[in-house]
Amino acid sequence: MEEEITRKTYNIKGRVFYQKELVLGQLGLLVDLLKDIEFEKGLTNLQILKVLGDKTPHAMAIVLLEEGKQIDKIEVGANGDFLEIEEVKKLTQFFANNVDISLALKVVTDFFVCTPMTNIMQALAALIPAT
């Protein structure tokens, strides 16, 4: 039996973007972006948005995919690191200039619907090398 994939859609300045469960490459980029941020347990989605601060547009550029476009955002470097393609930088600027706080909050809220925390923890465990 196939699992139903949760997908959330947003219209931003006439461009349609969507969010679904992260793939490992997106997770790798997101972990790298947020590595210096400490999230306390029990934060509300509004508090998460506040903690993200000026990294919010960049996080959105990693998480959101544009309808009808190639979904690749990641190149794998020679040493296995996940590297952003140029499109992520362009989307970061686009989101910084066109997304209001209420839409940013909706994206954060939908993130936890599309990618349940148990799935994130399992993916993180797969990304952390065994010691």
Side-chain angles (χ1 to χ4, degrees):
M1 183 174 193
E2 239 181 83
E3 222 177 286
E4 186 176 320
I5 296 174
T6 302
R7 179 180 155 130
K8 301 292 182 173
T9 305
Y10 317 91
N11 188 317
I12 305 169
K13 291 287 185 184
R15 294 169 68 178
V16 178
F17 294 89
Y18 66 94
Q19 174 172 199
K20 61 180 186 61
E21 187 169 1
L22 297 179
V23 297
L24 290 177
Q26 285 173 296
L27 181 63
L29 293 179
L30 203 54
V31 166
D32 189 51
L33 175 67
L34 305 177
K35 67 183 171 206
D36 297 327
I37 295 179
E38 191 171 317
F39 292 94
E40 296 175 15
K41 186 177 182 181
L43 292 176
T44 66
N45 291 341
L46 186 56
Q47 291 168 324
I48 289 171
L49 186 60
K50 184 178 177 183
V51 171
L52 286 173
D54 62 357
K55 293 184 184 228
T56 301
H58 194 166
M60 289 178 66
I62 293 168
V63 171
L64 297 183
L65 306 164
E66 190 163 6
E67 194 72 58
K69 298 247 178 151
Q70 177 72 19
I71 65 166
D72 293 337
K73 293 184 179 224
I74 301 108
E75 291 179 358
V76 179
N79 60 356
D81 288 342
F82 293 115
L83 308 170
E84 293 178 351
I85 63 169
E86 190 63 31
E87 183 65 18
V88 176
K89 294 174 187 167
K90 290 177 186 173
L91 285 174
T92 298
Q93 186 172 355
F94 175 78
F95 293 141
N97 289 313
N98 294 291
V99 173
D100 59 33
I101 293 169
S102 61
L103 180 57
L105 182 58
K106 181 167 177 33
V107 170
V108 168
T109 301
D110 291 345
F111 174 83
F112 294 106
V113 173
C114 293
T115 304
M117 289 309 294
T118 54
N119 295 0
I120 293 173
M121 293 302 128
Q122 289 171 350
L124 280 173
L127 288 175
I128 298 170
T131 57

